Amino acid sequence: MNRKREAVFMGLGILAGLTLSGPVAQAADHLTAKPSTQPIYVDGQRISMAAYNIGGNNYVKLRDIGKAMNF
């Protein structure tokens, strides 16, 4: 291959890498677990329980729910 063709392919590779790296960083941020500030109630009483927000959904450990419900 000649030098000019190699430079074109290298430039295309760099552009492709930059294009693909943006959505990956956004997806990683979207799937990061963050502590949730949503209050949790059992039988009308607010309880303290660790909850996490991942992708717009709240998640709580099943063990903590069982303890709160006296299972």
Side-chain angles (χ1 to χ4, degrees):
M1 276 204 222
N2 61 20
R3 290 275 212 209
K4 188 174 184 178
R5 189 171 178 176
E6 288 176 4
V8 169
F9 281 126
M10 181 183 289
L12 289 174
I14 291 171
L15 288 176
L18 290 172
T19 302
L20 294 174
S21 66
V24 171
Q26 291 171 355
D29 185 48
H30 181 69
L31 296 176
T32 302
K34 298 174 185 155
S36 176
T37 58
Q38 188 74 24
I40 300 171
Y41 293 89
V42 175
D43 294 330
Q45 299 292 323
R46 186 172 179 173
I47 61 170
S48 177
M49 187 180 301
Y52 298 93
N53 187 313
I54 303 171
N57 298 308
N58 288 324
Y59 292 91
V60 180
K61 289 182 183 178
L62 188 57
R63 175 190 66 199
D64 293 342
I65 294 172
K67 187 187 278 185
M69 302 293 289
N70 293 322
F71 280 142

